[in-house]
Amino acid sequence: MTLHYLDFDYSEDEDGNGCFDALADTPAERHPAVMAEVTLVLDWAQAAFAGQHGALDEGGSWDHDLQVLPGGASAAGATERYSVSLSLSGTPAFCAALRERFSLD
């Protein structure tokens, strides 16, 4: 499955754990579609790695941070915007499965 709004950047620590970070800044009318993608990704993670959500240094296989901020309008008459930031960190197994499920490079 291809994601249309969430474009993830990947980084890895010295232990092989990875972090996928995505930022979507969209007009208000596209915000529901962005949040649908966030829900899709998080629902998949909850199902595929059930009972394994939590801080990696405390034994979890994956963790996330979600921030949703109204961005306001950039100019008079401009459309209201929203910024959504999603970070997913995980073990090598989680990262490989996430990459495969969502066709991430």
Side-chain angles (χ1 to χ4, degrees), residues 24-31 68-75 78-84:
D25 182 53
T26 60
E29 65 268 9
R30 297 201 188 264
H31 184 66
V68 180
L69 302 170
S74 58
T79 304
E80 183 180 3
R81 302 189 68 81
Y82 286 88
S83 292
V84 176

Side-chain angles (χ1 to χ4, degrees), residues 42-97:
L42 294 178
D43 284 353
W44 168 85
Q46 288 283 7
F49 289 81
Q52 300 175 52
H53 182 253
L56 300 183
D57 59 355
E58 295 176 7
S61 292
W62 71 281
D63 204 359
H64 80 285
D65 180 55
L66 175 62
Q67 306 274 328
V68 180
L69 302 170
S74 58
T79 304
E80 183 180 3
R81 302 189 68 81
Y82 286 88
S83 292
V84 176
S85 170
L86 176 63
S87 293
L88 293 161
S89 56
T91 62
F94 175 82
C95 292

Side-chain angles (χ1 to χ4, degrees), residues 8 20 23 30 33-34 36-37 45 57-58 90 92:
F8 287 97
F20 291 88
L23 178 64
R30 297 201 188 264
V34 173
E37 286 190 2
D57 59 355
E58 295 176 7

